[in-house]
Amino acid sequence: MNQLVNGHLEKTRKDLVKEMTSLSEAQFNSKADVYKWSIAQVCHHLVLVEKASLKAITWGLKGSNSNQNERKNVPLVLLDRTKKIIAPKIVEPDKGPFEVEQVVNWLNDSREKLINFLSTIEDKSILAEKSMKHPALGELPLDQWIEQIYLHEQRHIEQIKEIKLLLDAR
């Protein structure tokens, strides 16, 4: 994995944790709308997505599926928040409530597992050669599965900022 991707993963995670740790437990678990997720649920969703992404990358490396599709413009799809993406059931968050520290620990644990696994891949070029189906993006090269982790977090950091504004406006 190249330094640029590592840097993006690290910076985005720092930004996410900064947004979370400034909140009280009540703010963390409050919903701006009964039909929307709380900030805590958004963060739990991010933990679940990172874990699911690691599983997908692992399966993709074991499989024989070579990447015969074009590379996707992942930033265009994930950073455009005007287009709603429905979370698959497997990455839907629990209802909570959650504690900020608990979720930060989960985020740290999932990231550590991801980085440790990726460090075991001797020839990183294989990540561009193999692919797995992504629920929102279709067939996706494994290196782009890694890219979508931090882009997905960036998308949700913006959502968290919006939720904060809505909660403050009450």
Side-chain angles (χ1 to χ4, degrees):
M1 198 167 57
N2 68 39
Q3 290 301 96
L4 182 64
V5 170
N6 269 337
H8 286 305
L9 284 166
E10 189 176 324
K11 182 189 181 320
T12 303
R13 182 53 58 86
K14 279 183 183 173
D15 292 346
L16 173 64
V17 170
K18 182 180 171 193
E19 291 295 328
M20 295 168 55
T21 55
S22 66
L23 300 169
S24 69
E25 300 295 327
Q27 292 168 313
F28 192 54
N29 287 286
S30 291
K31 292 182 173 190
D33 179 316
V34 69
Y35 300 106
K36 305 255 185 213
W37 290 347
S38 67
I39 293 170
Q41 287 176 300
V42 171
C43 295
H44 185 230
H45 164 72
L46 292 172
V47 170
L48 297 173
V49 166
E50 187 163 52
K51 287 179 174 184
S53 296
L54 176 55
K55 284 182 184 174
I57 295 165
T58 304
W59 291 333
L61 286 171
K62 289 178 184 173
S64 59
N65 193 11
S66 291
N67 178 27
Q68 298 178 352
N69 296 316
E70 288 183 33
R71 296 182 66 77
K72 303 285 188 343
N73 189 339
V74 178
L76 179 71
V77 175
L78 289 180
L79 298 179
D80 179 1
R81 293 197 52 248
T82 63
K83 294 189 175 58
K84 179 126 173 85
I85 300 173
I86 304 297
K89 287 263 184 237
I90 195 160
V91 293
E92 281 184 7
D94 293 340
K95 290 191 182 348
F98 299 96
E99 294 176 10
V100 174
E101 186 179 346
Q102 168 192 46
V103 177
V104 169
N105 288 338
W106 290 343
L107 286 163
N108 289 339
D109 183 58
S110 66
R111 181 55 50 88
E112 184 180 340
K113 285 181 172 136
L114 174 70
I115 298 299
N116 286 342
F117 174 76
L118 294 175
S119 72
T120 67
I121 303 169
E122 289 182 31
D123 181 6
K124 305 283 192 261
S125 68
I126 192 81
L127 293 167
E129 296 167 13
K130 293 194 168 213
S131 64
M132 275 294 287
K133 189 172 190 317
H134 185 281
L137 302 165
E139 199 66 29
L140 194 64
L142 299 181
D143 63 331
Q144 289 197 291
W145 270 89
I146 299 165
E147 179 186 22
Q148 68 83 32
I149 293 170
Y150 66 81
L151 292 168
H152 181 250
E153 280 189 10
Q154 288 172 11
R155 175 187 182 94
H156 283 295
I157 288 169
E158 293 308 310
Q159 179 186 14
I160 288 168
K161 289 176 181 176
E162 285 177 11
I163 294 169
K164 282 181 168 182
L165 289 173
L166 291 170
L167 292 174
D168 288 346
R170 284 185 183 174

